[in-house]
Amino acid sequence: QAQLAESGGGSVQTGGSLKLSCAVSGYHLILNCFGWLRQAPGKEREGVAAIDTSGNTYYIDSVKGRFTMSKDSAKNTLYLQMNSLKPEDTAIYYCAVTSRCFGLGPRTFDSANWGQGTQVTVSS
């Protein structure tokens, strides 16, 4: 299976920015969907953003206009640029890879390979 290593989390104040990175390695299957998920304290894990190999992107409504996901195929690295951060963005963020994107729901991510996560904390 693929190994994924997230980095770039930290603590910022409301309105600040962070850029998360995810290095992907060690896989043999073709991966056509790449994404980010998060889990806030006391909340269920939710898909945040995804991108497929055709360049289609998906974002959960609460982050549209603030977060941008991208992929650098040459570096096997995923990115999540997060701007205008809000306290409700506080969560552990995980990157994920899977065969195909079907939006941000369980059909896409239930079988995905996840990383260990990186903590994002946004204070008011």
Side-chain angles (χ1 to χ4, degrees):
Q1 64 180 36
Q3 288 81 54
L4 303 96
E6 299 95 338
S7 62
S11 182
V12 299
Q13 294 185 346
T14 297
S17 297
L18 287 171
K19 187 174 183 178
L20 307 184
S21 299
C22 171
V24 183
S25 63
Y27 60 90
H28 297 101
L29 298 176
I30 296 174
L31 301 174
N32 293 317
C33 183
F34 311 83
W36 290 90
L37 304 91
R38 68 186 181 187
Q39 187 166 25
K43 304 293 185 180
E44 296 182 355
R45 188 171 294 186
E46 63 179 355
V48 175
I51 186 169
D52 64 24
T53 51
S54 296
N56 300 123
T57 54
Y58 309 83
Y59 297 98
I60 192 171
D61 285 346
S62 61
V63 309
K64 288 181 179 177
R66 300 188 297 119
F67 290 12
T68 302
M69 183 176 177
S70 61
K71 175 171 65 69
D72 187 333
S73 296
K75 296 182 178 180
N76 294 320
T77 302
L78 313 176
Y79 302 98
L80 185 67
Q81 177 67 52
M82 305 184 295
N83 299 324
S84 301
L85 283 162
K86 304 175 180 179
E88 52 262 44
D89 296 317
T90 295
I92 300 174
Y93 283 72
Y94 304 85
C95 59
V97 296
T98 191
S99 60
R100 185 175 176 182
C101 290
F102 296 95
L104 297 172
R107 187 179 181 186
T108 296
F109 291 117
D110 276 2
S111 298
N113 190 195
W114 301 346
Q116 292 300 306
T118 185
Q119 177 70 50
V120 171
T121 302
V122 185
S123 60
S124 61

